Amino acid sequence: MADATFRIWRGDKSGGDYKDYKTHTSPGMVVLDAVHQIQAESAPDMAVRWNCKAGKCGSCSAEINGMPRLMCMTRLNTLDLSTPVTIQPMKTFPKIRDLVTDVSWNYKVKTKIARFAPRKPEADGTWRMNQADVDRPQEFRKCIECYLCQNVCHVLRDHQMFDDFIGPRFLVYTANMEMNPIDSGDRLKALKDEFGIGLCNITKCCTKVCPEEIKITDNAIIPLKERVVDEYFDPVRKLFKMFTGK
Ligand code: SF4
Ligand code: SF4
Ligand code: FES
């Protein structure tokens, strides 16, 4: 493979700009390899966050040619190398330096969500679940917390509603617990009042960028919306509650 140019954003929270780096490419390389090669050859001070180089730690999220992706899972042979490849930090989160953003808002959001609370076990001290209930939320557990879905969601990215919306990643996290029949917690009121589930207009942008191919919108968000509507806005249920008190 030939030389290619990588247009990488350099700077920090006070500002910055793109800088072009030319480097040699070889078969099998991914974008993170190119970034490491550039670090080794000409930019030893360039900041980049990564850990596993296997698509499993969720650290190397960035925007490659404008698309939110994992750098370690983006092969160079899927990109047009005849023009510069742009690499920039995730736009939704505050910049720290170069390709590294501050994603700590996500950690704070997670602490607001009620933890898994197992109901009392059966008489023999165990819990039993139907296989369908085991299978259904299985995909939610594949989340690697790369925050690419949070980065692309317009409620956070464009409208900056960080105080009002927990974002698709944490709707997946909540769905995992809400769909577990062993869990005794109830997060529906919080979803309606604090977590802003009504702000999601199911555009599916989050689903499109998820490297674990979790069907975020169809399998997590829409079922949660349905549960909130059933609980708080269903007139039949309201009447039933009124008469039975349940
Ligand atoms: S479907 Fe909802 S959570 Fe996902 S990107 Fe669109 S608005 Fe955000
Ligand atoms: S749901 Fe997908 S895109 Fe969102 S943080 Fe998890 S793995 Fe990343
Ligand atoms: S380095 Fe771990 S997901 Fe890319």
Side-chain angles (χ1 to χ4, degrees):
M1 285 169 82
D3 284 357
T5 301
F6 294 85
R7 186 160 289 165
I8 302 177
W9 194 87
R10 302 293 313 269
D12 56 27
K13 61 182 177 196
S14 60
D17 206 351
Y18 291 93
K19 200 167 168 199
D20 283 359
Y21 299 92
K22 205 173 199 176
T23 193
H24 190 68
T25 65
S26 49
M29 271 177 86
V30 293
V31 168
L32 187 61
D33 290 323
V35 169
H36 284 162
Q37 203 165 282
I38 290 163
Q39 268 184 329
E41 291 167 355
S42 53
D45 61 336
M46 183 162 64
V48 56
R49 184 187 281 138
W50 69 285
N51 282 285
C52 69
K53 205 174 167 277
K56 287 296 158 216
C57 72
S59 306
C60 67
S61 303
E63 301 194 9
I64 301 164
N65 286 344
M67 275 300 292
R69 305 179 73 164
L70 296 177
M71 285 188 276
C72 72
M73 297 305 283
T74 307
R75 288 196 176 272
L76 294 190
N77 65 6
T78 64
L79 302 172
D80 176 8
L81 300 182
S82 65
T83 55
V85 174
T86 59
I87 312 175
Q88 63 193 107
M90 286 192 286
K91 272 191 188 165
T92 299
F93 303 112
K95 292 178 176 69
I96 295 180
R97 212 178 75 155
D98 304 333
L99 297 175
V100 179
T101 52
D102 177 1
V103 293
S104 59
W105 170 79
N106 294 283
Y107 312 145
K108 288 181 201 130
V109 169
K110 201 172 196 175
T111 64
K112 292 197 281 189
I113 303 168
R115 293 285 174 266
F116 178 70
R119 60 171 160 72
K120 269 175 70 177
E122 319 277 337
D124 64 0
T126 67
W127 289 269
R128 287 179 190 79
M129 281 170 81
N130 290 324
Q131 189 59 42
D133 290 326
V134 175
D135 294 343
R136 192 178 184 200
Q138 197 62 33
E139 63 171 327
F140 304 150
R141 301 196 191 107
K142 293 194 302 180
C143 175
I144 57 171
E145 298 206 321
C146 64
Y147 304 129
L148 287 172
C149 57
Q150 305 286 77
N151 176 50
V152 84
C153 175
H154 66 97
V155 181
L156 301 172
R157 187 179 180 106
D158 300 327
H159 303 293
Q160 304 272 304
M161 297 179 82
F162 292 98
D163 293 334
D164 306 306
F165 186 53
I166 59 173
R169 158 47 190 149
F170 295 108
L171 292 173
V172 167
Y173 176 71
T174 305
N176 184 28
M177 294 186 284
E178 284 292 310
M179 290 180 193
N180 188 326
I182 292 175
D183 178 69
S184 64
D186 181 358
R187 300 158 194 89
L188 297 183
K189 189 169 189 316
L191 280 168
K192 175 171 76 75
D193 296 338
E194 291 170 58
F195 301 163
I197 193 163
L199 292 167
C200 163
N201 55 3
I202 56 175
T203 51
K204 299 196 185 185
C205 312
C206 50
T207 303
K208 280 186 204 134
V209 301
C210 177
E212 288 293 329
E213 298 183 354
I214 301 169
K215 296 205 168 40
I216 301 173
T217 325
D218 288 351
N219 293 352
I221 299 178
I222 292 175
L224 285 181
K225 277 177 176 279
E226 287 168 349
R227 285 169 188 229
V228 170
V229 168
D230 281 353
E231 183 67 24
Y232 292 101
F233 303 105
D234 179 352
V236 178
R237 186 178 276 233
K238 263 192 186 167
L239 273 177
F240 182 77
K241 260 190 182 170
M242 207 184 291
F243 289 115
T244 65
K246 290 180 193 162

